[in-house]
Amino acid sequence: MNHNEPVIEIEHLTVSFDGEEVIHDLSFCVEEGETLAIVGPNGSGKTTLLRAILGLVEYQGKIRIKHGRERIGYVPQRFSMDKDLPLSVGEFLSLRARQNDPNKVRQTLRLTEFPERLLTRAVGSLSGGELQRLLISWTLVGDPMILLFDEPTAWVDIKTEEMVFAVLRSLREERNLTVLLVSHDLNVVYREASNVLCLNKEIVCHGSPQEALTPASLARLYGGEPLFYKHEHISS
């Protein structure tokens, strides 16, 4: 792997809620163009790590971001939208587009295969798969340099999952985009990630999936025999 300049540097990161440590003394770097998968059991601090990088929780330690937090895009695991919200898809996207550039919106919609015919639809009327595509489009319209994906395909159909990872591959090639991907699906980790961070409040292993995800490290990570999880897709 070619070593590029780090875009995220984390030193001795600790996060506590009500006096209990959720993340303990993490130190690692993410290089430009890297796809880092973050894996671990429920409650291991994966989402909290993303929130710390976004500056949404208090923490001890240092987090340095090369391009600044304004160039980070974030796709959450779940997103609730008021079905009565008087906002169309097009209006929603224009809130994110730099200088409300309609060409930027159309280019992004083509990239994510989001139908332009839905631009006049109310955001609250979209199906789960349509809403996830919209969130990804909304994130990309902001022209991020770093993408944080928290289980981006956990609640979508298989066609949308394939689209998500096809978009990620394209962005890595065209823009050298840096991606942090939280996933329970080790098949996805092996296929999509250049490196993996095994997290259970502290770092259990870190490196390429082939080198880091040994039977011993997985047993330490999950507290016994590891479960090779593959989520079930929902209908679109």
Side-chain angles (χ1 to χ4, degrees):
M1 179 176 137
N2 293 329
H3 290 282
N4 298 317
E5 183 179 352
V7 294
I8 300 176
E9 297 178 85
I10 293 178
E11 294 181 1
H12 304 296
L13 176 68
T14 296
V15 181
S16 301
F17 297 131
D18 298 324
E20 181 178 350
E21 285 190 353
V22 179
I23 290 176
H24 173 71
D25 196 27
L26 299 190
S27 295
F28 65 95
C29 295
V30 184
E31 294 184 354
E32 188 173 8
E34 179 179 344
T35 296
L36 176 69
I38 304 168
V39 303
N42 291 334
S44 60
K46 301 184 298 295
T47 297
T48 299
L49 173 58
L50 297 190
R51 290 173 60 81
I53 291 171
L54 289 165
L56 299 178
V57 297
E58 294 185 1
Y59 58 84
Q60 295 175 303
K62 295 180 180 179
I63 299 177
R64 288 186 287 271
I65 301 168
K66 178 181 177 183
H67 304 289
R69 287 192 168 101
E70 67 274 8
R71 298 301 300 276
I72 296 178
Y74 174 55
V75 179
Q77 182 179 145
R78 298 187 186 186
F79 186 82
S80 298
M81 182 68 71
D82 186 345
K83 292 188 179 299
D84 297 322
L85 183 70
L87 192 68
S88 72
V89 168
E91 292 167 338
F92 181 74
L93 289 171
S94 70
L95 295 174
R96 180 68 168 171
R98 294 180 183 273
Q99 301 176 343
N100 294 326
D101 183 353
N103 290 326
K104 179 70 175 177
V105 171
R106 292 191 185 93
Q107 290 170 5
T108 303
L109 292 180
R110 286 194 292 271
L111 181 64
T112 59
E113 300 179 9
F114 190 93
E116 286 195 40
R117 59 181 170 78
L118 297 182
L119 284 173
T120 57
R121 281 263 303 273
V123 172
S125 71
L126 299 178
S127 68
E130 290 169 343
L131 181 58
Q132 190 70 338
R133 286 180 186 235
L134 176 61
L135 290 175
I136 294 168
S137 299
W138 185 86
T139 300
L140 295 178
V141 163
D143 199 23
M145 299 297 293
I146 300 169
L147 278 180
L148 307 184
F149 272 14
D150 192 353
E151 295 277 4
T153 61
W155 303 97
V156 300
D157 57 276
I158 191 167
K159 182 178 179 181
T160 301
E161 179 184 85
E162 291 170 352
M163 176 277 301
V164 169
F165 291 117
V167 168
L168 286 181
R169 292 182 209 115
S170 176
L171 290 170
R172 286 199 301 263
E173 292 174 3
E174 294 178 9
R175 306 185 192 178
N176 204 30
L177 198 68
T178 304
V179 178
L180 275 67
L181 169 68
V182 171
S183 180
H184 282 290
D185 190 339
L186 295 184
N187 294 322
V188 167
V189 173
Y190 279 108
R191 188 177 70 240
E192 304 294 339
S194 47
N195 282 302
V196 59
L197 179 74
C198 304
L199 181 64
N200 195 349
K201 298 189 177 181
E202 58 187 10
I203 295 177
V204 175
C205 58
H206 183 206
S208 71
Q210 293 75 19
E211 295 176 350
L213 297 177
T214 65
S217 65
L218 287 170
R220 287 175 55 211
L221 181 63
Y222 291 101
E225 190 70 22
L227 297 177
F228 285 79
Y229 175 80
K230 184 73 171 71
H231 76 259
E232 296 296 328
H233 296 285
I234 64 169
S235 300
S236 59

